[in-house]
Amino acid sequence: MALCSEKWSFGGGVCVKTVTCKGIIGERPKENATCEIIISLESGGHLQCTESEYLKENFSGTVVVGNADCEVDRQVERCVRTMVPNEQCLLAISFKEFPSTVTLSVVLSSFSQFPDIFEWTREEKLAVARQHKQRGVQLFQAGRLSDSFLKFNKAVKLVITVGIEDSEASDLYLQVCNNMAWCHLKQGHTIHALTLCNKVLNVDPSNVKALLRRSEAYNRLNDVKLAVLDLRQVRKLEPNNGVAKERLILLQHKLELENIKYANVIKRMFQ
């Protein structure tokens, strides 16, 4: 008999957690806690998610909260964070894109708590941030842009707590923001990409990757003049940069055509 239930929404759907056996009253797992869990698939196995570690017939093992790579696993982790040791529950995950629901039985056997983030040392923050960044790169290379972006986002949040005046943190910040900008461009989120490029260039005005990506963003926004200016800056910094050279030829031609078109419009206005 169900004891209590909890419901929450996420970008792709809705989750309902129903407690079937209460656990030991006490602390719940926090970010980076190491948890021993048992998961069994109750229903909805026909909904395949090849990226998921948990959407299988059975899973028994260790989970580090915050390391999930796909939406199903992120919701399982969110569920685990509400649990106490020896608690058992049913987690129903409904996706907007599918007409049915996946139901998992989740048991939290035990967990080892990790300190709150404000207690982490500089080295711990940077180490975890690097892990998220590296995993984000792997996901990006696999074409999983949304999952990749979330990993980069976790990394940048940790780096900011260290402070970008720290040289190691600053380097990592620039790398991750550049990667996030590229994710946005790949997904057509041009304004967001532009914002991230500007954040990089505010710290490092000579950052070639940010200049190239901002140029692409300006081009998509039909601001060819600014796109050309960024490419010219890249050519000054790296005269042999082939990408900048090719793009600059194309955009200068595009700008010339726009100038001719504008001149013709003005001419007709004053005939």
Side-chain angles (χ1 to χ4, degrees):
M1 183 176 176
L3 298 174
C4 61
S5 64
E6 183 179 349
K7 182 177 180 180
W8 64 85
S9 299
F10 61 98
V14 175
C15 290
V16 178
K17 171 199 169 188
T18 305
V19 177
T20 55
C21 180
K22 288 184 176 181
I24 302 167
I25 296 174
E27 265 196 314
R28 291 172 166 78
K30 300 174 184 176
E31 185 77 6
N32 250 40
T34 302
C35 306
E36 297 299 323
I37 63 173
I38 301 169
I39 298 174
S40 54
L41 183 61
E42 298 291 315
S43 64
H46 59 288
L47 297 180
Q48 297 299 314
C49 179
T50 55
E51 297 91 1
S52 174
E53 290 293 319
Y54 313 137
L55 194 54
K56 302 171 182 175
E57 289 189 8
N58 291 288
F59 173 91
S60 179
T62 303
V63 168
V64 177
V65 175
N67 281 1
D69 287 341
C70 70
E71 196 58 71
V72 170
D73 294 0
R74 283 191 285 271
Q75 297 313 313
V76 171
E77 283 191 5
R78 180 169 178 176
C79 173
V80 169
R81 291 187 67 162
T82 69
M83 300 174 72
V84 293
N86 294 338
E87 182 179 327
Q88 300 177 30
C89 72
L90 291 175
L91 176 65
I93 309 175
S94 301
F95 298 95
K96 293 176 182 177
E97 58 198 274
F98 299 116
S100 54
T101 299
V102 176
T103 303
L104 302 170
S105 170
V106 184
V107 180
L108 174 61
S109 302
S110 62
F111 70 91
S112 175
Q113 196 70 281
F114 202 80
D116 287 312
I117 190 169
F118 61 83
E119 298 178 278
W120 296 12
T121 65
R122 168 190 176 276
E123 289 70 25
E124 285 172 332
K125 290 176 180 178
L126 290 177
V128 174
R130 287 191 195 96
Q131 290 172 10
H132 287 315
K133 181 231 173 186
Q134 289 166 2
R135 184 56 183 152
V137 170
Q138 292 170 347
L139 292 169
F140 183 90
Q141 291 170 343
R144 294 168 55 186
L145 301 179
S146 296
D147 294 329
S148 171
F149 181 87
L150 290 173
K151 285 295 180 184
F152 293 142
N153 195 41
K154 276 180 169 286
V156 85
K157 285 180 178 178
L158 281 171
V159 169
I160 287 170
T161 66
V162 175
I164 57 174
E165 66 279 356
D166 180 294
S167 60
E168 282 186 64
S170 179
D171 288 345
L172 192 52
Y173 174 82
L174 298 176
Q175 292 168 21
V176 174
C177 284
N178 264 329
N179 291 346
M180 292 168 73
W182 192 228
C183 285
H184 276 315
L185 283 172
K186 285 278 192 179
Q187 296 179 93
H189 306 153
T190 309
I191 296 296
H192 295 309
L194 183 62
T195 299
L196 283 162
C197 291
N198 283 333
K199 286 184 177 182
V200 173
L201 293 165
N202 284 339
V203 178
D204 178 13
S206 299
N207 192 288
V208 168
K209 282 187 178 179
L211 287 166
L212 286 170
R213 287 166 191 175
R214 188 170 72 174
S215 173
E216 176 62 21
Y218 281 141
N219 184 36
R220 293 187 189 185
L221 295 169
N222 293 316
D223 199 333
V224 184
K225 286 184 180 179
L226 289 179
V228 166
L229 286 175
D230 278 348
L231 290 175
R232 286 175 178 165
Q233 181 63 16
V234 172
R235 293 279 284 154
K236 286 181 183 177
L237 295 166
E238 294 184 2
N240 296 322
N241 190 301
V243 173
K245 182 179 179 180
E246 290 178 12
R247 289 185 186 174
L248 191 54
I249 292 170
L250 292 172
L251 289 186
Q252 282 178 330
H253 179 64
K254 184 177 179 180
L255 186 58
E256 287 170 7
L257 292 176
E258 286 188 359
N259 289 337
I260 292 170
K261 191 182 294 185
Y262 178 74
N264 289 335
V265 169
I266 297 298
K267 186 177 179 180
R268 286 196 297 271
M269 288 175 63
F270 292 96
Q271 280 179 343

